[in-house]
Amino acid sequence: MLHIALTKGRLEKESVKIFEKCGYGIEELKNKGRQLVFKDSIKENDYFLVKAADCVTYVEHGVADVGIVGKDTLLESTSRYYEILDLGIGKCGFIVASLPDKDPYKKVGHIKIGTKYPTVAKEYFMQKGMDVEIIKIEGSVELTPILGLCDAIVDIMETGTTLKENGLVVFDRICDISARVIVNKASFKLKRKEINELLLDIKKVL
Amino acid sequence: MKQFTIPAGMRDLILGECETKKKIQLEIENTLDKWGYQEVVTPTIEYYKTYNIGFDDMQEEDMYKFFDASGKIIMLRADMTIPIARVVATKFKEAPMPLRFRYCADVFKVHEELSGLQNEISDCGVELIGVDEKSGDLEILATAMEALKVVKDKKCILEIGNVNYFREACRVLNLSEENISVLGNLIGKKSLISLEEYVKTLQLDKDAQQFFLELPWMSGDYRVLEKARKYAWNTTLNTLLDDLLRLYENLSTLGYENINFDLGKISNLNYYTGIIFEAFVEGVGTRIMSGGRYDTLIGKYGRDLPAVGFSIKLDALIDIVPAVEKKKKYIIEYASKDVLKAIMKSNVLREKAIVELKVNESLDDIVVKEED
């Protein structure tokens, strides 16, 4: 019996598609009403849909044995789980962007970076050997350089349309992001057979 | 209204939880006593310096730190192995070996807020000092298996690794300290995607690349030791696998089951020098026991001695060990004027059961009831 936590929203459809290709009984997940836990009609699994950051929490506590969640969320969290597989879905990347005339790498003086991902931003600039101030922004991060709150932003870029529409350009690509399979450490030992089967099934259809 | 709360990561234990925890503790201590372990109690507060010497790369932010009156940094103890290493090196300078010490103590570690993790946990464990791996490893693992019987019929797995397997392979391949540290971190966390990316950046031949990619998967029953043979490039690595296999055979002979191996187990505590092991039990999402060999740690405090030990995390077990059975209990009701008579009566009954006193002013005489 495996408990699987899926990330709601962007990744949901594509993760469900993978389980469908595996031949799992996920009818309930496809035609979901108000219920929160979905039983597999073929396999001995159940699934629940949660927000990305919660997916990590559920797996860390072992309430979920397996989770599917974006690398962006994993990079912001502490890693008390095993990160086993890249699903290759939900692909995008972390970038540093700003207005064309505001190259943060050329600025002399105090640099302010606006982001929803403070850990990622902090790690990146530390590796670059740059001392910057990170300002946490909850949404529409693109606004911060335009309004002059920050010198640049660290954000996720999928197609780049939002950046372009706001007149921002990419100065650096930090890393690629895609959805990952994470596994609870204790489950990995105690439910080895079931988890290996699941991983094999998924690998076959990727 | 004034509300009183407790600091982040702390917990109150009340009623049945306390009883269950105590029961688990007593059962484990009873087992450890039979193996000849003697209890050691050390202070809750230690000098920061003491820990900093023991853990080479201590995470400063994980510790509760304070200043003493003279401005020295002190901290709440983060484990019990370091204090015992300090005690052994400073108070048992000439003592004949081996020493067998056990402890049950609360240890402290700061986790990020709102993570649902406990910052104060009870560790119950042992340190076997002055015995090298040839005989000490089997003894400590057998003791661990006995102590783990506390989980009763719950499925429980002991998983053994040896930090030298990874280290020796890295040495053979001439990897730099930095490469080893990054690789160790990625393999230990089974962060497989980043591992693959990182291995590609190293100048390694195909065989070596394959080795590092497979290492996180070299976990499971004793057959992984055979799987690992193909990468045992020298006698040291082969001997290491032989030793693990012998441990397995010996533990099987002793009747212990559910022994697994993980050659990709690389502890984040860098004081381990040989076997490391963890136990997992059905129903608990984290390890319930961890331990290993640390032959150079006590030397840092002044006496060179091999040692091996483990600790069980009591708090993790409270929810899965059956609650303590209710004991027989009498209630004596009495009016205030009969208080002396009530206590005298209760003293008689108390020889065979729990007796609780309860005031009831409407009574003419004391009444004894049995609680159901």
Side-chain angles (χ1 to χ4, degrees):
Chain A
M1 175 86 187
L2 288 180
H3 304 288
I4 302 171
L6 306 176
T7 301
K8 267 193 223 174
R10 215 163 52 93
L11 291 177
E12 182 181 330
K13 250 193 184 151
E14 290 185 83
S15 340
V16 170
K17 221 182 273 168
I18 289 179
F19 286 110
E20 196 175 18
K21 278 196 212 156
C22 291
Y24 287 14
I26 42 99
E27 302 80 13
E28 282 191 15
L29 251 179
K30 281 175 74 187
N31 318 304
K32 55 183 204 285
R34 278 168 175 256
Q35 81 213 84
L36 296 168
V37 180
F38 309 91
K39 279 220 154 324
D40 196 305
S41 60
I42 298 169
K43 284 268 171 178
E44 246 196 282
N45 297 340
D46 60 33
Y47 309 86
F48 39 95
L49 287 166
V50 294
K51 277 194 147 189
D54 299 340
C55 184
V56 181
T57 309
Y58 285 120
V59 171
E60 278 184 350
H61 283 264
V63 188
D65 301 302
V66 177
I68 292 182
V69 61
K71 180 69 179 172
D72 50 329
T73 309
L74 298 181
L75 286 170
E76 274 300 307
S77 73
T78 47
S79 48
R80 286 179 288 249
Y81 48 79
Y82 293 145
E83 186 187 333
I84 303 283
L85 197 62
D86 185 349
L87 290 178
I89 57 173
K91 278 188 177 170
C92 49
F94 271 120
I95 48 98
V96 180
S98 190
L99 295 166
D101 59 343
K102 270 195 166 185
D103 185 339
Y105 305 97
K106 290 193 178 135
K107 181 170 179 186
V108 181
H110 190 71
I111 301 169
K112 287 183 285 186
I113 303 293
T115 186
K116 255 205 272 191
Y117 302 91
T119 313
V120 174
K122 205 171 121 194
E123 285 275 317
Y124 167 79
F125 284 105
M126 210 148 77
Q127 277 186 10
K128 285 261 162 200
M130 288 170 71
D131 183 16
V132 303
E133 180 186 357
I134 312 275
I135 299 181
K136 173 102 192 261
I137 302 291
E138 290 295 338
S140 304
V141 187
E142 301 82 10
L143 266 178
T144 61
I146 298 172
L147 297 180
L149 176 63
C150 294
D151 298 293
I153 61 169
V154 165
D155 204 7
I156 284 182
M157 183 178 79
E158 236 176 307
T159 55
T161 324
T162 324
L163 289 181
K164 216 179 263 169
E165 279 172 3
N166 288 292
L168 301 185
V169 294
V170 174
F171 281 97
D172 195 13
R173 194 175 173 86
I174 299 176
C175 64
D176 293 333
I177 296 167
S178 53
R180 306 291 159 92
V181 175
I182 59 171
V183 179
N184 172 266
K185 289 184 181 182
S187 304
F188 192 80
K189 327 282 179 187
L190 292 161
K191 300 185 177 177
R192 190 178 295 277
K193 208 175 130 251
E194 293 97 312
I195 286 172
N196 277 337
E197 262 176 36
L198 176 77
L199 293 172
L200 271 179
D201 286 346
I202 295 178
K203 273 186 200 165
K204 271 187 216 151
V205 301
L206 286 185
Chain B
M1 198 178 81
K2 247 187 193 163
Q3 280 280 0
F4 293 97
T5 62
I6 46 178
M10 296 292 147
R11 279 189 203 173
D12 292 319
L13 271 194
I14 51 173
L15 306 173
E17 296 165 333
C18 283
E19 275 182 87
T20 310
K21 183 170 170 180
K22 197 78 189 176
K23 183 184 107 171
I24 301 168
Q25 182 185 339
L26 286 176
E27 197 176 324
I28 296 171
E29 285 177 350
N30 195 17
T31 306
L32 301 178
D33 279 345
K34 287 186 187 160
W35 285 80
Y37 286 92
Q38 286 176 299
E39 187 168 16
V40 177
V41 176
T42 68
T44 312
I45 300 169
E46 292 270 351
Y47 282 117
Y48 180 77
K49 203 176 76 183
T50 308
Y51 271 95
N52 208 7
I53 285 170
F55 298 140
D56 280 339
D57 56 349
M58 186 158 83
Q59 298 297 313
E60 218 183 311
E61 61 274 20
D62 290 352
M63 311 296 166
Y64 282 99
K65 299 179 290 292
F66 316 89
F67 293 111
D68 71 3
S70 65
K72 286 203 189 91
I73 310 174
I74 50 181
M75 59 178 265
L76 295 183
R77 63 178 165 221
D79 80 344
M80 278 301 288
T81 303
I82 300 273
I84 289 180
R86 173 186 58 72
V87 167
V88 169
T90 55
K91 304 207 162 65
F92 292 86
K93 284 194 179 117
E94 310 291 334
M97 290 298 133
L99 293 169
R100 285 184 175 81
F101 289 139
R102 72 164 171 83
Y103 57 83
C104 194
D106 289 354
V107 296
F108 301 83
K109 197 181 162 205
V110 184
H111 293 102
E112 66 279 14
E113 268 188 53
L114 309 179
S115 62
L117 296 167
Q118 279 177 265
N119 288 358
E120 178 182 18
I121 60 160
S122 300
D123 251 355
C124 201
V126 296
E127 312 296 346
L128 171 57
I129 295 142
V131 184
D132 67 14
E133 71 278 1
K134 287 190 283 298
S135 55
D137 285 2
L138 182 63
E139 177 182 333
I140 206 76
L141 290 169
T143 313
M145 289 308 286
E146 285 300 322
L148 284 172
K149 284 185 177 167
V150 73
V151 305
K152 303 287 184 278
D153 52 356
K154 287 267 188 304
K155 183 183 179 189
C156 180
I157 285 176
L158 184 78
E159 195 180 61
I160 311 168
N162 189 323
V163 293
N164 292 328
Y165 188 72
F166 169 73
R167 282 186 197 158
E168 175 64 15
C170 288
R171 200 192 58 78
V172 173
L173 296 169
N174 266 322
L175 291 175
S176 73
E177 274 306 316
E178 199 206 323
N179 291 342
I180 295 174
S181 144
V182 177
L183 271 176
N185 188 20
L186 295 174
I187 292 169
K189 283 183 182 164
K190 300 202 197 294
S191 189
L192 304 189
I193 302 102
S194 311
L195 175 67
E196 207 176 322
E197 284 163 10
Y198 187 72
V199 165
K200 274 187 204 148
T201 69
L202 301 173
Q203 306 294 319
L204 293 171
D205 63 38
K206 238 183 156 187
D207 203 28
Q209 282 196 17
Q210 201 55 34
F211 166 73
F212 286 120
L213 296 183
E214 265 187 50
L215 194 49
W217 292 104
M218 289 188 198
S219 79
D221 63 22
Y222 71 98
R223 284 171 297 188
V224 302
L225 301 175
E226 282 316 309
K227 200 171 136 194
R229 281 289 173 198
K230 115 174 149 176
Y231 298 106
W233 297 307
N234 63 15
T235 12
T236 313
L237 287 166
N238 265 310
T239 314
L240 212 143
L241 293 174
D242 292 340
D243 290 345
L244 286 174
L245 192 63
R246 193 165 320 112
L247 276 178
Y248 174 76
E249 286 164 358
N250 287 336
L251 286 167
S252 298
T253 308
L254 290 166
Y256 300 117
E257 289 169 356
N258 290 324
I259 310 282
N260 277 359
F261 293 89
D262 186 355
L263 293 169
K265 195 189 285 299
I266 293 153
S267 176
N268 47 359
L269 280 181
N270 54 10
Y271 61 55
Y272 286 123
T273 57
I275 58 158
I276 49 173
F277 52 97
E278 292 175 302
F280 298 88
V281 66
E282 158 194 23
V284 179
T286 53
R287 61 188 187 182
I288 58 156
M289 172 198 271
S290 65
R293 171 162 291 282
Y294 52 96
D295 287 348
T296 53
L297 181 68
I298 305 176
K300 291 182 182 172
Y301 299 97
R303 189 175 173 190
D304 238 337
L305 289 168
V308 64
F310 66 78
S311 77
I312 296 179
K313 283 101 191 77
L314 287 188
D315 303 82
L317 297 176
I318 297 176
D319 292 334
I320 60 147
V321 169
V324 179
E325 275 174 49
K326 255 192 154 182
K327 292 187 193 92
K328 193 174 175 177
K329 186 167 157 186
Y330 290 111
I331 294 172
I332 300 180
E333 293 193 20
Y334 68 99
S336 308
K337 63 179 172 60
D338 293 324
V339 60
L340 181 64
K341 191 177 170 192
I343 291 177
M344 278 163 71
K345 177 71 181 167
S346 79
N347 278 348
V348 176
L349 291 174
R350 215 165 262 131
E351 275 168 25
K352 49 189 183 203
I354 297 169
V355 190
E356 206 178 290
L357 296 166
K358 198 173 169 188
V359 178
N360 181 350
E361 297 294 3
S362 67
L363 295 174
D364 294 330
D365 195 4
I366 64 169
V367 177
V368 179
K369 288 179 184 163
E370 199 174 317
E371 194 194 59
D372 33 45

